[in-house]
Amino acid sequence: MTGAQGGTSDAKGVLDGSSRYDEKWLSQGDKRIVPVPAGSRTDDSLVRRLAEGCRTAGGDAVLAVDPGTGSSVCAGRRAPADPRLLGMPPPLLLVTTDLTGAILFPAPGHALVANTSAFLEGAAPKEVERGRARFSRYARATAGKWSGPESTARSFPPSHIAWKRPGGVPAGTATARQLTFMRDFAAGRCTGADFAVGWPDARRHSQQRGERVRDPLETLFDRVFSLLEDYSIDPVFTGPAGLSDEEVRQSVVRLMHQAE
């Protein structure tokens, strides 16, 4: 597909007959959906999401398509906030001409970003789960102004609640592994090197799984992350301001005591 005309006919495959994302299209590349806030017309923020998604995933030009007919309303560049794509009312489908990513703008108040993880890094950063959680808060805050966000938030809830304290984290989660590493290190059951490798690895797995934390647990983890930035596994590379094993251990003990 090389031009807007070719993309227009094929864009119908992005949606099903009910003007929703087609399951077959979503299954290609394991696409995910993240609801995002929107106004009564396409604005700079909404169009920039698509442009940034194109940038991170390598998408090309953008088509604005009428979901009901599948006909192209206009075509724009992938550059942020192409003026030809601004001020357009819903229902509207913004889709790249190579069909790598799309934003469905079904009604005032919300839109649905859909694509692979690479596209979503630009279009809806901070991961799918966090994006869905933020939209849930937005939907509650704007209840009564728009009719669609609340039902959309219920359709796309985050998979995990945001845990607040260590005692509320379920066993078997990557977040629980982070806490286990902290307890073992504080009690002397693992070395500083083991902690410095294992804890960040558990943190990455937690983020990849969409597990979420909130204060005070979020602050606790942020402080541990900062501690490890000043710690080197190899003493040869420990600078004047670097932390020793014992200094990191005592800090972790203190943080765990405050949290629990």
Side-chain angles (χ1 to χ4, degrees), residues 226-243:
S226 297
L227 279 174
L228 291 178
E229 285 190 320
D230 295 326
Y231 170 77
S232 175
I233 295 175
D234 190 340
V236 174
F237 297 103
T238 302
L243 298 175

Side-chain angles (χ1 to χ4, degrees), residues 87-135:
M88 305 180 73
L92 190 70
L93 174 69
L94 298 174
V95 61
T96 59
T97 53
D98 61 2
L99 305 187
T100 57
I103 296 180
L104 177 60
F105 184 23
H110 72 286
L112 300 171
V113 182
N115 207 279
T116 59
S117 58
F119 184 91
L120 291 174
E121 280 181 18
K126 303 295 184 183
E127 302 137 12
V128 171
E129 297 299 318
R130 291 190 180 186
R132 291 181 173 184
R134 284 197 305 275
F135 186 81

Side-chain angles (χ1 to χ4, degrees), residues 142-203:
T142 58
K145 181 178 181 180
W146 310 110
S147 60
E150 286 189 288
S151 62
T152 299
R154 289 193 294 270
S155 298
F156 299 98
S159 300
H160 302 280
I161 63 171
W163 302 306
K164 184 177 181 180
R165 299 190 181 278
V169 178
T173 62
T175 302
R177 280 183 56 213
Q178 288 178 264
L179 292 167
T180 297
F181 270 112
M182 293 174 67
R183 294 185 182 107
D184 286 350
F185 182 53
R189 292 191 292 267
C190 75
T191 66
D194 290 338
F195 179 67
V197 172
W199 191 87
D201 183 65
R203 180 182 174 92

